[in-house]
Amino acid sequence: MKFTSPIFAAAISISLICCKSKSTSEDQNRIPPEVVPEIQENRLGEEPSAFLASAADSKINWQPWSPEVLDFAKRSQRMVLVLIGTARYNGCFETLEALDRNPTMVERINRNFVPVLTDIDLTRETGLLAYNLSSEAKASVSFPFLILLSPEGNPVTWHPIQYKSDRETLAFFDNSIEVISRLWSDDPDYVTNDSALKADLRRDSLPDPDKEVPEMEERQRRYEAAMRRLESFYDEDLTSLAGSGGLFPLGVFDTLALARYDESLPPSQRQKFGETLDSFIQTLLSSAMVDPLDGGVHPARRGSTWNLVMGRRDCSTQARAARIFARMHQLDGYPGTLEAAVGAIRFAETYYQTPNGLFSLSEKPDSMETKSWLWTVDQVSSVLSDDEFKVWKTYSALNDIGNLPSEADPNRNYFRLNSLAAAVPPEEVAKVTGFDLAEVKSLIESGRKKLRKSRESRAPRPAPDHSPSALASFRMVSAYASLYTATGDASYLEKAVKLGEASRKHFLKNRFLNERPDGEPEGASDGRAFSYAIAIQAGLDLGAITLEDDWYLWAQDLTTLLAENFVTKEGRLLEVRQVSQVVEIDYEDRMMVFDDSTAGQLRLNLQRLLALGFQTPPSLSAWLNSLPPIDNFPIIFTDSLIATAHEWNHLTVKLGRESPQELVDAVRTLPLQLFVRRREGSDGVTITLQNDTEISANTAEDIKNLIQKP
């Protein structure tokens, strides 16, 4: 059965107009298409991405995302078919497999288009493109996402692909390819000119850069309004945050935790933040979002319950979660946060660490059935001993009819199925089961090992990816640094420094950041602005825990490199260097569509450098004093909220170069961001308070007491 989406229906109507305007003389004068050897073969074999590598043996002649595909398209007189996806999202790998299993579809794509496959974790700008095109249609963005480009690199038409089955996916492609091929065949000049006109309109209608707010008092006023609005979105009864969607709300946790220490906010408001965090964090930690079997953190949920998760995970989520959970533990000792941070780190080390000690973005993608992560009561009981089952039945709140709420499963697709989670604290389990606490913990652990082994037999883990990623590796540097400050465990300090040195060595070639280690940055492997921002954060964190200026200077050098190559004359922040740009529409990554935004992370990096006494590039000064609409849309700007508050919500610590080791260690383990520190002078410790008053700290206990509990 064929069907026509609204967007492709519009394409059909355009094609009818094209038929009327087609010029015979233009056809006669057109240069015959050239046979381009590069597009006669699949060229994904060397791309640094498990998602792209999964299609390296595809019969479709996939090309990497690079400006050269436009040259191929012009010479062959074809449109560019771009499929945007990632190993993290359900449906992306399945769509690739569905296409590859159909020889007719493979032949049509190869014959009519220059096919390009992109990974949004590498080419972040393609995700931004999909997001902005979806916004034009007033629709939510989802992946995989199909875009057809003219040979000049202008979007012609686009549509998300909601993978449900091979049949529906192939029907969608069959219809869309038929329509767009006829459209191009009837009048390619019209398609080229019309898409160019629309691209010009998009450039003209790009949002203005964020407005400068020169007065600190006004920035503080808008920040306070944003924080009130952010906290008001939390519904204690539903334990959810309105407007946050299904992503793990790590940014919200971090914002509220840091704001608890912001003395510019009223004490009553700071107390309310703590109450919200107490409730919200325990809900998430006791849900399936933090896997009770392997400790890995899930990036998103399915539907309306935190107990129905998206099974695919990635290294960046583990590193980001570990960094934020460790800080929450260090600042306020929220129960379970340190265990969650350590679990996320161990999960990342187990499944994403490559043989050379760096980290990959994800595992190799494969088909995943949601039900394979869920259990009937009988399945659980068949794996465990009687005592283990008694404990786990209470611990995970198992139920014969299933433990997912009916509103989260209205069609009863998961009837009698249970999600495993640390739903009930061990202390409560002991009261219910009659076992003592030590025995409960022992039975939980022995049952965990058995259940994990059973799950992996039903749903084998994906194969590991041995392609190191700059983004994942620098994320892990910051995760190790945060765990070191939270625990004082020197092994995390050693891991952070070792990984930081290896990443700096392998991912920078001829000054530029490269996602492929030890290679030249080009096309998809050329580091994006977000990767630079995360690398700069890693450098600042390493400087903070080692107190070595070399790391701070390296972070400053990367910031200068970013300023020179990622800012347009109009003052827009590019996500990709112009040499690697394919679609020349300068969408800025200024809001948290996927996780942190490039603009928000850049703002925080600049504030930290400035607080340390370093000069920041003039072309980036706008990001120091400008603000997005944080008071209207705080949830999607939590990274900018944190950066804004850092201007006044931090203490500056100066440590003498001849200070005793106990003072050095105490300064090194101060919470990141709330304390900026640097070696200066001969001995002793000087702290500059928020009111610019300087005080001295003579002992390690004095330094620890700087963290005043709200």
Side-chain angles (χ1 to χ4, degrees):
M1 179 180 71
K2 292 186 179 181
F3 64 96
T4 304
S5 72
I7 291 177
F8 282 107
I12 292 176
S13 65
I14 295 173
S15 70
L16 297 177
I17 298 173
C18 294
C19 291
K20 295 178 182 179
S21 61
K22 183 178 177 181
S23 170
T24 304
S25 61
E26 287 178 354
D27 278 350
Q28 293 173 343
N29 294 329
R30 186 169 290 119
I31 300 172
E34 180 183 337
V35 176
V36 180
E38 289 88 344
I39 63 174
Q40 309 305 313
E41 61 180 359
N42 184 312
R43 299 173 64 236
L44 294 183
E46 299 299 321
E47 294 306 304
S49 155
F51 178 63
L52 300 182
S54 71
D57 295 325
S58 169
K59 300 177 183 66
I60 297 175
N61 296 328
W62 292 115
Q63 306 294 307
W65 179 255
S66 168
E68 66 179 353
V69 299
L70 300 182
D71 176 60
F72 299 159
K74 291 171 186 175
R75 289 159 55 193
S76 62
Q77 296 182 22
R78 300 182 184 185
M79 298 180 68
V80 182
L81 181 151
V82 185
L83 188 62
I84 304 171
T86 170
R88 292 183 287 121
Y89 290 176
N90 294 328
C92 294
F93 178 74
E94 290 83 352
T95 296
L96 292 177
E97 292 288 284
L99 294 175
D100 219 36
R101 282 192 287 262
N102 189 290
T104 301
M105 186 60 64
V106 170
E107 191 275 332
R108 291 175 68 188
I109 291 175
N110 287 340
R111 171 166 42 88
N112 293 299
F113 302 97
V114 177
V116 174
L117 186 65
T118 79
D119 182 345
I120 60 173
D121 288 318
L122 277 180
T123 55
R124 195 176 179 91
E125 74 276 14
T126 62
L128 295 174
L129 178 62
Y131 172 80
N132 282 279
L133 292 176
S134 295
S135 298
E136 285 185 17
K138 295 181 170 56
S140 299
V141 66
S142 63
F143 298 98
F145 195 92
L146 177 68
I147 301 180
L148 278 301
L149 300 177
S150 72
E152 282 68 35
N154 298 315
V156 175
T157 190
W158 59 89
H159 205 274
I161 301 167
Q162 301 289 345
Y163 179 87
K164 294 180 180 178
S165 67
D166 283 13
R167 182 184 62 82
E168 290 189 30
T169 299
L170 289 170
F172 169 80
F173 271 89
D174 180 53
N175 180 75
S176 59
I177 285 176
E178 179 182 339
V179 170
I180 204 67
S181 296
R182 188 167 71 248
L183 177 64
W184 180 254
S185 176
D186 286 343
D187 198 337
D189 292 325
Y190 179 90
V191 174
T192 298
N193 294 335
D194 183 68
S195 61
L197 175 63
K198 288 183 170 63
D200 286 340
L201 292 174
R202 289 187 184 98
R203 294 185 190 97
D204 292 340
S205 61
L206 285 171
D208 293 330
D210 293 333
K211 295 181 179 179
E212 278 204 50
V213 183
E215 299 299 326
M216 181 188 289
E217 290 79 6
E218 176 62 14
R219 291 197 293 278
Q220 287 181 325
R221 186 196 67 77
R222 288 181 57 184
Y223 167 75
E224 183 177 343
M227 293 304 300
R228 284 198 304 269
R229 187 172 177 83
L230 179 66
E231 196 281 325
S232 72
F233 288 152
Y234 180 64
D235 188 317
E236 188 172 358
D237 293 330
L238 298 176
T239 58
S240 65
L241 201 72
S244 64
L247 295 177
F248 202 123
L250 291 167
V252 174
F253 290 159
D254 203 22
T255 305
L256 294 178
L258 289 168
R260 292 252 293 141
Y261 289 80
D262 188 347
E263 295 180 1
S264 74
L265 297 172
S268 60
Q269 190 175 8
R270 296 162 65 193
Q271 180 180 352
K272 186 66 175 174
F273 294 159
E275 293 170 356
T276 298
L277 273 174
D278 282 335
S279 173
F280 204 7
I281 189 62
Q282 289 310 314
T283 296
L284 271 291
L285 292 181
S286 62
S287 75
M289 295 295 286
V290 179
D291 195 298
L293 302 188
D294 58 29
V297 176
H298 292 270
R301 68 185 182 188
R302 285 177 172 272
S304 60
T305 174
W306 297 111
N307 283 317
L308 188 60
V309 300
M310 290 181 63
R312 291 190 171 95
R313 289 169 282 185
D314 64 288
C315 188
S316 290
T317 297
Q318 310 312 311
R320 186 167 175 245
R323 176 182 172 84
I324 292 171
F325 288 151
R327 176 152 54 216
M328 293 179 71
H329 165 78
Q330 184 174 16
L331 293 179
D332 288 296
Y334 288 103
T337 49
L338 180 59
E339 292 81 359
V342 172
I345 285 291
R346 288 176 178 168
F347 184 86
E349 290 176 336
T350 301
Y351 296 110
Y352 305 118
Q353 193 159 29
T354 61
N356 60 0
L358 300 170
F359 285 83
S360 63
L361 277 169
S362 64
E363 295 155 300
K364 294 182 178 178
D366 63 357
S367 297
M368 180 176 290
E369 171 58 46
T370 299
K371 289 184 179 180
S372 65
W373 283 70
L374 303 175
W375 304 71
T376 65
V377 169
D378 287 343
Q379 284 174 326
V380 175
S381 65
S382 68
V383 173
L384 304 179
S385 70
D386 290 345
D387 287 350
E388 287 168 341
F389 174 68
K390 188 176 180 181
V391 166
W392 269 87
K393 185 175 182 181
T394 303
Y395 183 55
S396 271
L398 305 181
N399 195 307
D400 288 334
I401 63 171
N403 63 4
L404 297 174
S406 57
E407 63 271 16
D409 184 24
N411 298 324
R412 307 309 286 154
N413 294 323
Y414 308 112
F415 183 60
R416 297 192 182 281
L417 294 177
N418 293 269
S419 180
L420 297 185
V424 179
E427 294 78 7
E428 293 298 318
V429 176
K431 293 178 183 178
V432 172
T433 61
F435 295 113
D436 64 45
L437 182 58
E439 195 170 6
V440 164
K441 291 181 177 179
S442 176
L443 290 169
I444 288 174
E445 178 59 20
S446 60
R448 182 191 68 80
K449 293 177 180 177
K450 292 179 182 179
L451 289 168
R452 179 176 175 179
K453 183 177 180 180
S454 176
R455 185 176 70 184
E456 291 181 357
S457 68
R458 292 193 295 140
R461 289 207 58 82
D465 176 25
H466 296 310
S467 302
S469 157
L471 180 58
S473 298
F474 284 119
R475 281 274 204 193
M476 286 296 294
V477 170
S478 290
Y480 284 137
S482 190
L483 265 169
Y484 169 63
T485 64
T487 65
D489 186 339
S491 68
Y492 291 123
L493 171 63
E494 293 168 6
K495 288 180 178 181
V497 173
K498 183 178 180 180
L499 179 58
E501 290 173 344
S503 298
R504 181 165 62 173
K505 174 183 176 182
H506 288 291
F507 293 117
L508 278 109
K509 185 75 171 179
N510 295 332
R511 296 179 66 227
F512 292 109
L513 190 61
N514 184 22
E515 278 291 335
R516 181 191 296 113
D518 303 319
E520 293 288 345
E522 57 183 26
S525 73
D526 191 9
R528 269 44 183 181
F530 184 68
S531 293
Y532 278 81
I534 294 300
I536 294 165
Q537 174 185 259
L540 291 170
D541 290 345
L542 285 167
I545 63 173
T546 63
L547 295 172
E548 295 176 2
D549 258 15
D550 176 60
W551 287 112
Y552 289 145
L553 292 168
W554 180 69
Q556 184 188 40
D557 288 345
L558 278 183
T559 303
T560 301
L561 197 60
L562 189 150
E564 292 171 348
N565 292 275
F566 293 90
V567 179
T568 68
K569 291 183 292 186
E570 295 75 26
R572 294 189 180 281
L573 181 63
L574 291 172
E575 190 55 38
V576 56
R577 287 198 299 153
Q578 289 182 326
V579 69
S580 297
Q581 194 175 37
V582 179
V583 176
E584 295 182 3
I585 303 176
D586 300 332
Y587 293 119
E588 290 184 296
D589 184 19
R590 58 202 295 241
M591 66 183 80
M592 299 172 69
V593 177
F594 308 110
D595 51 24
D596 296 323
S597 69
T598 304
Q601 187 60 58
L602 172 62
R603 282 189 168 95
L604 180 56
N605 292 341
L606 292 172
Q607 288 290 353
R608 292 177 72 183
L609 281 167
L610 197 64
L612 286 162
F614 289 97
Q615 295 294 318
T616 56
S619 63
L620 297 179
S621 61
W623 283 273
L624 278 169
N625 298 320
S626 65
L627 281 181
I630 55 174
D631 38 352
N632 292 329
F633 306 102
I635 288 178
I636 59 174
F637 291 117
T638 56
D639 51 1
S640 286
L641 279 171
I642 291 171
T644 300
H646 188 276
E647 180 180 2
W648 59 82
N649 188 29
H650 73 269
L651 299 182
T652 303
V653 179
K654 298 175 183 177
L655 175 70
R657 298 184 184 279
E658 299 172 12
S659 297
Q661 190 62 42
E662 69 166 5
L663 285 184
V664 174
D665 291 340
V667 170
R668 280 176 170 175
T669 52
L670 286 168
L672 296 170
Q673 293 176 208
L674 284 179
F675 294 85
V676 296
R677 54 272 208 167
R678 197 175 179 188
R679 292 264 196 184
E680 190 171 303
S682 58
D683 58 8
V685 176
T686 303
I687 298 97
T688 304
L689 303 180
Q690 293 179 8
N691 60 6
D692 292 332
T693 301
E694 289 191 353
I695 62 173
S696 297
N698 300 311
T699 67
E701 193 64 29
D702 290 339
I703 295 171
K704 292 176 182 177
N705 289 336
L706 291 171
I707 310 174
Q708 297 294 326
K709 302 297 180 185

